[in-house]
Amino acid sequence: IDMVRATRHRAAAGQRCVGAVQADCHALPFATGAFDACRIERVLQHVESPGRAVAECRRVVRPGGGIVVFEPDWESLKFNSCGAVSAAIVAANAMAHRHPAVGKTLASLLAHAGFRDVRFETGTAEWNSIEDTERTISVSAAVRRAVKAGAISASDGAAWTAEQRQLSASGRFRATL
């Protein structure tokens, strides 16, 4: 919605803009083959049906056109602090997403939608402080969700958070995704 508003504002101001349309990704309001390419970034983890969304993108991309998809695998989140509390927090973070592991299912989603010659690049996001991690992943919200779900106690959540802050202050913190 913000992108649509910004696009309208730029167009009204006479600035060049590509345009933005707010639409249901399961039923895009575009003709078949209307685009040369499509980009999906951190969307499929939230939608009702990732497969239908990718199939709809396939429909609107011309034959021979391309698609770029970037989606995380929230189940791969790791902290350098092992144990049941870390596992519960990672699980609580994953459950905040409708499809937390969609990043590792992209190959089958794209193939099922009819994309061919699919190439993959994988990467690891790495953080060296709890503060940097918190800017990307709401770790504190994941802790609260784990407590609310009864997966960990409030005191375990507080102790784990304090441990992460200590590791961060000493330069020993590490989280990866």
Side-chain angles (χ1 to χ4, degrees):
I1 294 173
D2 289 340
M3 186 178 289
V4 172
R5 284 188 197 123
T7 300
R8 287 181 186 150
H9 176 73
R10 287 174 56 171
Q15 296 175 346
R16 183 176 180 269
C17 60
V18 173
V21 174
Q22 183 179 348
D24 179 353
C25 67
H26 302 97
L28 294 171
F30 306 112
T32 298
F35 297 97
D36 292 331
C38 176
R39 175 181 167 149
I40 302 173
E41 183 173 338
R42 296 176 292 180
V43 171
L44 299 177
Q45 63 188 315
H46 301 293
V47 301
E48 179 182 324
S49 173
R52 279 186 25 226
V54 171
E56 188 63 358
C57 289
R58 180 70 197 107
R59 181 187 70 77
V60 301
V61 171
R62 68 169 171 75
I67 185 169
V68 173
V69 184
F70 172 81
E71 292 290 334
D73 171 14
W74 289 110
E75 293 176 351
S76 73
L77 178 63
K78 301 278 187 250
F79 292 91
N80 61 341
S81 179
C82 299
V85 175
S86 284
I89 292 166
V90 167
N93 180 72
M95 292 297 91
H97 303 85
R98 186 179 269 180
H99 303 284
V102 73
K104 64 182 158 193
T105 67
L106 291 177
S108 63
L109 287 173
L110 292 165
H112 191 265
F115 285 99
R116 302 290 175 251
D117 300 321
V118 175
R119 288 172 289 177
F120 285 89
E121 290 185 30
T122 59
T124 301
E126 187 174 328
W127 299 274
N128 295 309
S129 75
I130 188 70
E131 295 80 15
D132 286 346
T133 309
E134 190 70 37
R135 284 193 256 303
T136 306
I137 302 167
S138 183
V139 178
S140 55
V143 171
R144 287 192 300 275
R145 281 191 296 277
V147 170
K148 185 176 180 181
I152 59 172
S153 68
S155 62
D156 283 343
W160 184 88
T161 300
E163 176 190 22
Q164 300 314 301
R165 294 198 185 290
Q166 288 172 346
L167 289 168
S168 188
S170 69
R172 295 180 293 134
F173 178 91
R174 186 162 184 256
T176 58
L177 175 67

